[in-house]
Amino acid sequence: MLFLVFYFILFAILLFQGTHVAGEVKNPLGTVPEEVGQTPVASARWGILLIGLGLLGTLVGLASFSWTGLAALLQPLFYLGLGVLILFAFWVVFLGRKAEFIGKPTVMDEHGHH
């Protein structure tokens, strides 16, 4: 029973993270500085993957209550979801966002000295 709690929590996290990363491409939340850019194509792909896997895991988990044959899929799906979440975390930390110099001066040089 405790496994099912963690199972559904994991796939809820995958759904929420997927919708967040896919939605941030179109509507940035402004939580990172302007100099930190993200690759929109990769973010959209991660979002689709996370949403798809989250929905698949949730639907298989709910259907396993009626069809007990699906219960054998729960543990492999759980480990697959956990692996994808770990890969997504590494992507976010190391590859997803890169700091770029945008070429804007921080202080305007308008002292009147020529």
Side-chain angles (χ1 to χ4, degrees), residues 11 13 18 32 41-42 52 67 72-73 75 79 92 108 110-111 114:
F11 287 103
I13 289 171
V32 294
V41 174
W67 298 302
L73 292 176
Q75 197 165 13
Y79 289 123
V92 166
M108 298 302 289
E110 296 183 15
H111 296 292
H114 291 283

Side-chain angles (χ1 to χ4, degrees), residues 7-81:
Y7 179 86
F8 284 111
I9 287 174
L10 171 69
F11 287 103
I13 289 171
L14 288 175
L15 276 171
F16 295 145
Q17 284 296 320
T19 54
H20 171 77
V21 77
E24 193 176 12
V25 173
K26 292 182 181 176
N27 301 318
L29 298 175
T31 56
V32 294
E34 199 176 303
E35 296 86 9
V36 179
Q38 69 177 357
T39 54
V41 174
S43 295
R45 287 181 182 162
W46 270 111
I48 291 168
L49 175 69
L50 294 177
I51 291 169
L53 189 59
L55 283 174
L56 175 70
T58 303
L59 292 175
V60 168
L62 291 174
S64 71
F65 290 121
S66 294
W67 298 302
T68 55
L70 289 176
L73 292 176
L74 294 182
Q75 197 165 13
L77 268 176
F78 178 79
Y79 289 123
L80 175 67

